CSV table of all heavy atoms in Angstrom, one decimal:
chain,number,residue,atom,x,y,z
A,17,TYR,N,47.8,43.6,24.3
A,17,TYR,CA,48.7,44.6,24.7
A,17,TYR,C,50.0,44.4,23.9
A,17,TYR,O,50.4,43.4,23.6
A,17,TYR,CB,49.0,44.5,26.2
A,17,TYR,CG,47.8,44.7,27.1
A,17,TYR,CD1,47.0,43.5,27.3
A,17,TYR,CD2,47.5,45.8,27.7
A,17,TYR,CE1,45.9,43.6,28.1
A,17,TYR,CE2,46.3,45.9,28.5
A,17,TYR,CZ,45.5,44.8,28.7
A,17,TYR,OH,44.5,44.9,29.5
A,18,TYR,N,50.6,45.7,23.4
A,18,TYR,CA,51.7,45.7,22.6
A,18,TYR,C,52.9,46.6,23.1
A,18,TYR,O,52.5,47.6,23.6
A,18,TYR,CB,51.4,45.9,21.1
A,18,TYR,CG,50.4,45.1,20.5
A,18,TYR,CD1,49.1,45.4,20.4
A,18,TYR,CD2,50.9,43.8,19.9
A,18,TYR,CE1,48.2,44.4,19.8
A,18,TYR,CE2,50.0,42.9,19.3
A,18,TYR,CZ,48.6,43.2,19.3
A,18,TYR,OH,47.8,42.5,18.6
A,19,ALA,N,54.1,46.2,22.9
A,19,ALA,CA,55.1,47.1,23.1
A,19,ALA,C,55.1,48.2,21.9
A,19,ALA,O,54.6,47.9,20.8
A,19,ALA,CB,56.5,46.4,23.0
A,20,ASP,N,55.5,49.4,22.2
A,20,ASP,CA,55.4,50.5,21.2
A,20,ASP,C,56.2,50.0,20.0
A,20,ASP,O,55.8,50.5,18.8
A,20,ASP,CB,56.0,51.7,21.9
A,20,ASP,CG,55.2,52.3,22.9
A,20,ASP,OD1,54.0,52.0,22.9
A,20,ASP,OD2,55.7,53.1,23.7
A,21,SER,N,57.3,49.3,20.0
A,21,SER,CA,58.1,49.0,19.0
A,21,SER,C,57.5,48.1,17.9
A,21,SER,O,57.9,48.0,16.8
A,21,SER,CB,59.5,48.3,19.4
A,21,SER,OG,59.2,47.2,20.1
A,22,VAL,N,56.3,47.4,18.3
A,22,VAL,CA,55.7,46.5,17.4
A,22,VAL,C,54.2,46.8,17.1
A,22,VAL,O,53.6,46.2,16.3
A,22,VAL,CB,55.7,45.0,17.9
A,22,VAL,CG1,57.2,44.6,18.2
A,22,VAL,CG2,54.9,44.9,19.2
A,23,LYS,N,53.7,47.9,17.6
A,23,LYS,CA,52.3,48.3,17.4
A,23,LYS,C,52.2,48.7,15.9
A,23,LYS,O,53.0,49.3,15.3
A,23,LYS,CB,52.0,49.6,18.2
A,23,LYS,CG,51.8,49.3,19.7
A,23,LYS,CD,51.4,50.6,20.5
A,23,LYS,CE,51.2,50.3,21.9
A,23,LYS,NZ,50.8,51.5,22.6
A,24,GLY,N,51.1,48.1,15.4
A,24,GLY,CA,50.8,48.3,14.0
A,24,GLY,C,51.4,47.3,13.0
A,24,GLY,O,51.0,47.2,11.9
A,25,ARG,N,52.3,46.5,13.6
A,25,ARG,CA,53.0,45.5,12.7
A,25,ARG,C,52.7,44.1,13.2
A,25,ARG,O,52.6,43.2,12.3
A,25,ARG,CB,54.5,45.7,12.7
A,25,ARG,CG,54.9,47.1,12.2
A,25,ARG,CD,56.3,47.3,12.0
A,25,ARG,NE,57.2,47.0,13.2
A,25,ARG,CZ,58.0,46.1,13.6
A,25,ARG,NH1,58.3,45.3,12.6
A,25,ARG,NH2,58.7,46.1,14.7
A,26,PHE,N,52.6,43.9,14.5
A,26,PHE,CA,52.5,42.5,15.1
A,26,PHE,C,51.0,42.4,15.6
A,26,PHE,O,50.5,43.4,16.1
A,26,PHE,CB,53.4,42.2,16.2
A,26,PHE,CG,54.9,42.1,15.9
A,26,PHE,CD1,55.3,42.5,14.6
A,26,PHE,CD2,55.8,41.7,16.8
A,26,PHE,CE1,56.6,42.3,14.2
A,26,PHE,CE2,57.1,41.6,16.4
A,26,PHE,CZ,57.5,41.9,15.1
A,27,THR,N,50.5,41.1,15.5
A,27,THR,CA,49.1,40.9,16.1
A,27,THR,C,49.3,39.7,16.9
A,27,THR,O,49.6,38.6,16.5
A,27,THR,CB,48.1,40.7,14.9
A,27,THR,OG1,48.1,42.0,14.2
A,27,THR,CG2,46.7,40.5,15.6
A,28,ILE,N,48.7,39.7,18.1
A,28,ILE,CA,48.7,38.5,19.1
A,28,ILE,C,47.2,38.0,19.1
A,28,ILE,O,46.4,38.8,19.1
A,28,ILE,CB,49.2,38.8,20.4
A,28,ILE,CG1,49.3,37.6,21.3
A,28,ILE,CG2,48.3,39.9,21.2
A,28,ILE,CD1,50.0,37.8,22.6
A,29,SER,N,47.1,36.6,19.1
A,29,SER,CA,45.8,36.1,19.1
A,29,SER,C,45.9,34.8,19.8
A,29,SER,O,47.0,34.2,19.8
A,29,SER,CB,45.1,36.0,17.7
A,29,SER,OG,45.9,35.2,16.9
A,30,ARG,N,44.8,34.2,20.2
A,30,ARG,CA,44.8,32.9,20.8
A,30,ARG,C,43.4,32.2,20.4
A,30,ARG,O,42.4,32.9,20.4
A,30,ARG,CB,44.7,33.1,22.4
A,30,ARG,CG,44.8,31.8,23.1
A,30,ARG,CD,45.0,32.2,24.7
A,30,ARG,NE,45.0,30.8,25.5
A,30,ARG,CZ,45.1,30.9,26.8
A,30,ARG,NH1,45.0,32.1,27.4
A,30,ARG,NH2,45.2,29.7,27.5
A,31,ASP,N,43.4,30.9,20.2
A,31,ASP,CA,42.2,30.3,19.6
A,31,ASP,C,41.3,30.0,20.7
A,31,ASP,O,41.6,30.1,21.8
A,31,ASP,CB,42.6,29.0,18.9
A,31,ASP,CG,43.2,27.8,19.7
A,31,ASP,OD1,43.2,28.1,20.9
A,31,ASP,OD2,43.5,26.9,19.2
A,32,SER,N,40.1,29.6,20.3
A,32,SER,CA,39.0,29.4,21.3
A,32,SER,C,39.2,28.2,22.2
A,32,SER,O,38.6,28.1,23.2
A,32,SER,CB,37.6,29.3,20.5
A,32,SER,OG,37.7,28.2,19.6
A,33,GLY,N,40.1,27.3,21.7
A,33,GLY,CA,40.3,26.2,22.5
A,33,GLY,C,41.3,26.3,23.6
A,33,GLY,O,41.7,25.4,24.3
A,34,LYS,N,42.0,27.5,23.6
A,34,LYS,CA,42.9,27.9,24.6
A,34,LYS,C,44.2,27.0,24.5
A,34,LYS,O,44.9,26.9,25.6
A,34,LYS,CB,42.4,27.8,26.1
A,34,LYS,CG,41.1,28.6,26.3
A,34,LYS,CD,41.2,30.1,26.0
A,34,LYS,CE,40.0,30.8,26.4
A,34,LYS,NZ,38.8,30.5,25.6
A,35,LYS,N,44.4,26.5,23.4
A,35,LYS,CA,45.6,25.6,23.2
A,35,LYS,C,46.7,26.2,22.3
A,35,LYS,O,47.9,25.7,22.5
A,35,LYS,CB,45.2,24.3,22.5
A,35,LYS,CG,44.1,23.4,23.4
A,35,LYS,CD,44.8,22.9,24.6
A,35,LYS,CE,43.9,22.0,25.3
A,35,LYS,NZ,43.6,20.8,24.6
A,36,GLN,N,46.4,27.2,21.6
A,36,GLN,CA,47.3,27.8,20.6
A,36,GLN,C,47.4,29.3,20.7
A,36,GLN,O,46.3,29.9,20.6
A,36,GLN,CB,46.9,27.3,19.1
A,36,GLN,CG,48.0,27.6,18.1
A,36,GLN,CD,49.0,26.3,18.2
A,36,GLN,OE1,48.7,25.3,18.8
A,36,GLN,NE2,50.2,26.5,17.5
A,37,LEU,N,48.5,29.7,20.8
A,37,LEU,CA,48.8,31.2,20.8
A,37,LEU,C,49.6,31.6,19.6
A,37,LEU,O,50.4,30.8,19.1
A,37,LEU,CB,49.6,31.6,22.1
A,37,LEU,CG,50.0,33.1,22.2
A,37,LEU,CD1,48.8,33.9,22.5
A,37,LEU,CD2,51.1,33.3,23.3
A,38,TYR,N,49.3,32.6,18.9
A,38,TYR,CA,49.9,33.1,17.8
A,38,TYR,C,50.4,34.5,17.8
A,38,TYR,O,50.0,35.4,18.6
A,38,TYR,CB,48.9,33.1,16.5
A,38,TYR,CG,48.2,31.8,16.3
A,38,TYR,CD1,46.9,31.6,16.7
A,38,TYR,CD2,48.9,30.8,15.6
A,38,TYR,CE1,46.3,30.4,16.5
A,38,TYR,CE2,48.3,29.5,15.4
A,38,TYR,CZ,47.0,29.4,15.9
A,38,TYR,OH,46.4,28.2,15.6
A,39,LEU,N,51.6,34.7,17.1
A,39,LEU,CA,52.1,36.2,16.9
A,39,LEU,C,52.3,36.3,15.4
A,39,LEU,O,53.2,35.8,14.7
A,39,LEU,CB,53.4,36.3,17.7
A,39,LEU,CG,53.9,37.7,17.6
A,39,LEU,CD1,53.0,38.7,18.3
A,39,LEU,CD2,55.4,37.7,18.1
A,40,GLN,N,51.4,37.1,14.7
A,40,GLN,CA,51.5,37.3,13.4
A,40,GLN,C,52.5,38.6,13.2
A,40,GLN,O,52.1,39.7,13.7
A,40,GLN,CB,50.1,37.7,12.7
A,40,GLN,CG,50.3,38.0,11.2
A,40,GLN,CD,50.8,36.9,10.4
A,40,GLN,OE1,50.2,35.7,10.4
A,40,GLN,NE2,51.7,37.1,9.6
A,41,MET,N,53.6,38.5,12.6
A,41,MET,CA,54.5,39.6,12.4
A,41,MET,C,54.6,40.0,10.9
A,41,MET,O,54.8,39.1,10.1
A,41,MET,CB,55.8,39.1,13.0
A,41,MET,CG,55.9,38.6,14.3
A,41,MET,SD,57.6,38.2,14.9
A,41,MET,CE,58.0,36.8,13.8
A,42,THR,N,54.3,41.3,10.7
A,42,THR,CA,54.5,41.8,9.4
A,42,THR,C,55.5,43.0,9.3
A,42,THR,O,55.8,43.5,10.4
A,42,THR,CB,53.2,42.2,8.8
A,42,THR,OG1,52.6,43.3,9.7
A,42,THR,CG2,52.1,41.1,8.8
A,43,ALA,N,55.8,43.4,8.1
A,43,ALA,CA,56.7,44.6,8.0
A,43,ALA,C,57.9,44.4,9.0
A,43,ALA,O,58.4,45.3,9.6
A,43,ALA,CB,56.1,45.9,8.3
A,44,LEU,N,58.6,43.2,8.8
A,44,LEU,CA,59.7,42.9,9.8
A,44,LEU,C,60.9,43.7,9.4
A,44,LEU,O,61.1,44.1,8.3
A,44,LEU,CB,60.0,41.4,9.7
A,44,LEU,CG,59.1,40.4,10.4
A,44,LEU,CD1,59.2,39.0,10.0
A,44,LEU,CD2,59.2,40.6,12.0
A,45,LYS,N,61.6,44.2,10.5
A,45,LYS,CA,62.8,44.9,10.4
A,45,LYS,C,64.0,44.1,11.0
A,45,LYS,O,63.8,43.3,11.8
A,45,LYS,CB,62.6,46.2,11.2
A,45,LYS,CG,61.4,47.0,10.8
A,45,LYS,CD,61.2,48.2,11.7
A,45,LYS,CE,60.0,49.0,11.4
A,45,LYS,NZ,59.8,50.2,12.3
A,46,PRO,N,65.2,44.5,10.6
A,46,PRO,CA,66.4,43.9,11.2
A,46,PRO,C,66.4,44.0,12.8
A,46,PRO,O,66.9,43.0,13.4
A,46,PRO,CB,67.6,44.6,10.6
A,46,PRO,CG,67.0,45.1,9.3
A,46,PRO,CD,65.6,45.5,9.5
A,47,GLU,N,65.9,45.1,13.4
A,47,GLU,CA,65.9,45.1,14.8
A,47,GLU,C,64.9,44.1,15.4
A,47,GLU,O,64.9,44.1,16.7
A,47,GLU,CB,65.6,46.6,15.2
A,47,GLU,CG,64.4,47.2,14.6
A,47,GLU,CD,64.8,48.0,13.4
A,47,GLU,OE1,65.6,47.6,12.6
A,47,GLU,OE2,64.2,49.2,13.3
A,48,ASP,N,64.1,43.5,14.6
A,48,ASP,CA,63.2,42.4,15.2
A,48,ASP,C,63.9,41.1,15.4
A,48,ASP,O,63.4,40.2,16.0
A,48,ASP,CB,62.0,42.2,14.3
A,48,ASP,CG,61.2,43.4,14.2
A,48,ASP,OD1,60.8,44.0,15.2
A,48,ASP,OD2,60.6,43.7,13.1
A,49,THR,N,65.1,41.0,14.8
A,49,THR,CA,65.9,39.8,15.1
A,49,THR,C,66.2,39.4,16.5
A,49,THR,O,66.7,40.2,17.3
A,49,THR,CB,67.2,39.9,14.3
A,49,THR,OG1,67.1,40.1,12.9
A,49,THR,CG2,68.1,38.7,14.5
A,50,ALA,N,65.7,38.3,16.9
A,50,ALA,CA,65.9,37.8,18.4
A,50,ALA,C,65.3,36.4,18.4
A,50,ALA,O,64.8,35.9,17.5
A,50,ALA,CB,65.1,38.8,19.2
A,51,VAL,N,65.5,35.9,19.7
A,51,VAL,CA,64.9,34.6,20.0
A,51,VAL,C,63.6,35.0,20.7
A,51,VAL,O,63.5,35.7,21.6
A,51,VAL,CB,65.8,33.8,20.9
A,51,VAL,CG1,65.0,32.5,21.4
A,51,VAL,CG2,67.0,33.4,20.3
A,52,TYR,N,62.5,34.5,20.1
A,52,TYR,CA,61.1,34.8,20.7
A,52,TYR,C,60.6,33.7,21.6
A,52,TYR,O,60.7,32.5,21.3
A,52,TYR,CB,60.2,35.0,19.5
A,52,TYR,CG,60.3,36.3,18.8
A,52,TYR,CD1,61.4,36.6,18.0
A,52,TYR,CD2,59.4,37.4,18.9
A,52,TYR,CE1,61.6,37.8,17.4
A,52,TYR,CE2,59.6,38.6,18.3
A,52,TYR,CZ,60.7,38.8,17.5
A,52,TYR,OH,60.8,40.0,16.9
A,53,TYR,N,60.1,34.1,22.7
A,53,TYR,CA,59.7,33.2,23.7
A,53,TYR,C,58.2,33.4,23.9
A,53,TYR,O,57.7,34.5,24.2
A,53,TYR,CB,60.4,33.4,25.1
A,53,TYR,CG,61.9,33.2,25.1
A,53,TYR,CD1,62.7,34.2,24.7
A,53,TYR,CD2,62.4,31.8,25.3
A,53,TYR,CE1,64.1,33.9,24.7
A,53,TYR,CE2,63.7,31.6,25.2
A,53,TYR,CZ,64.6,32.7,24.9
A,53,TYR,OH,65.9,32.5,24.9
A,54,CYS,N,57.5,32.3,24.1
A,54,CYS,CA,56.0,32.1,24.5
A,54,CYS,C,56.1,32.1,26.1
A,54,CYS,O,57.0,31.3,26.6
A,54,CYS,CB,55.4,31.0,23.8
A,54,CYS,SG,53.7,30.7,24.4
A,55,ALA,N,55.2,32.7,26.6
A,55,ALA,CA,55.0,32.6,28.1
A,55,ALA,C,53.6,32.7,28.6
A,55,ALA,O,52.7,33.2,27.9
A,55,ALA,CB,55.8,33.8,28.7
A,56,ALA,N,53.3,32.1,29.8
A,56,ALA,CA,52.0,32.1,30.3
A,56,ALA,C,52.0,32.4,31.8
A,56,ALA,O,52.9,32.1,32.4
A,56,ALA,CB,51.3,30.8,30.0
A,57,ARG,N,50.9,33.0,32.3
A,57,ARG,CA,50.8,33.3,33.7
A,57,ARG,C,49.3,33.2,34.0
A,57,ARG,O,48.4,33.3,33.3
A,57,ARG,CB,51.3,34.7,34.0
A,57,ARG,CG,50.8,35.8,33.1
A,57,ARG,CD,51.0,37.3,33.7
A,57,ARG,NE,50.0,37.5,34.7
A,57,ARG,CZ,50.1,38.7,35.4
A,57,ARG,NH1,50.9,39.6,35.1
A,57,ARG,NH2,49.1,38.8,36.3
A,58,GLY,N,49.1,33.2,35.3
A,58,GLY,CA,47.7,33.2,35.9
A,58,GLY,C,47.1,34.6,35.8
A,58,GLY,O,47.7,35.7,35.4
A,59,TRP,N,45.8,34.7,36.1
A,59,TRP,CA,45.1,36.0,36.1
A,59,TRP,C,45.7,36.9,37.1
A,59,TRP,O,46.1,36.6,38.1
A,59,TRP,CB,43.6,35.7,36.4
A,59,TRP,CG,42.8,36.9,36.3
A,59,TRP,CD1,42.1,37.4,35.2
A,59,TRP,CD2,42.6,38.0,37.3
A,59,TRP,NE1,41.4,38.6,35.5
A,59,TRP,CE2,41.8,38.9,36.8
A,59,TRP,CE3,43.0,38.1,38.6
A,59,TRP,CZ2,41.3,40.1,37.5
A,59,TRP,CZ3,42.6,39.3,39.4
A,59,TRP,CH2,41.9,40.2,38.9
A,60,GLY,N,45.7,38.2,36.7
A,60,GLY,CA,46.2,39.2,37.6
A,60,GLY,C,45.9,40.6,36.9
A,60,GLY,O,45.5,40.7,35.8
A,61,SER,N,46.1,41.6,37.6
A,61,SER,CA,46.0,43.0,37.2
A,61,SER,C,47.1,43.4,36.3
A,61,SER,O,48.2,42.8,36.3
A,61,SER,CB,45.7,43.9,38.3
A,61,SER,OG,46.9,44.0,39.1
A,62,GLU,N,46.9,44.4,35.5
A,62,GLU,CA,48.0,45.1,34.7
A,62,GLU,C,49.0,45.6,35.6
A,62,GLU,O,48.8,45.9,36.8
A,62,GLU,CB,47.4,46.1,33.9
A,62,GLU,CG,46.4,45.7,32.9
A,62,GLU,CD,45.9,46.9,32.0
A,62,GLU,OE1,46.6,47.4,31.3
A,62,GLU,OE2,44.6,47.1,32.1
A,63,PRO,N,50.2,45.7,35.1
A,63,PRO,CA,50.7,45.5,33.8
A,63,PRO,C,51.0,44.1,33.4
A,63,PRO,O,51.1,43.2,34.2
A,63,PRO,CB,52.0,46.2,33.7
A,63,PRO,CG,52.6,46.2,35.0
A,63,PRO,CD,51.4,46.2,36.0
């Protein structure tokens, strides 16, 4: 799931071992400047 502002530019993925989460960011813009936080939660429905 992606925010509209990053669709087509960012890709989220997680390895099969459930230990590593990635965010591949391409075509970066000045408005992407920020502190980026990784977060985790239990199972649940959207959003």
Side-chain angles (χ1 to χ4, degrees):
Y17 301 82
Y18 298 99
D20 290 340
S21 60
V22 305
K23 285 182 179 178
R25 300 189 298 120
F26 291 9
T27 301
I28 187 171
S29 61
R30 186 178 180 183
D31 72 3
S32 60
K34 310 295 189 298
K35 296 291 184 65
Q36 198 81 15
L37 179 73
Y38 303 101
L39 183 68
Q40 179 66 51
M41 306 184 294
T42 62
L44 284 163
K45 306 174 181 179
E47 51 263 44
D48 294 319
T49 296
V51 176
Y52 284 71
Y53 297 91
C54 173
R57 53 163 284 181
W59 184 93
S61 60
E62 297 180 64

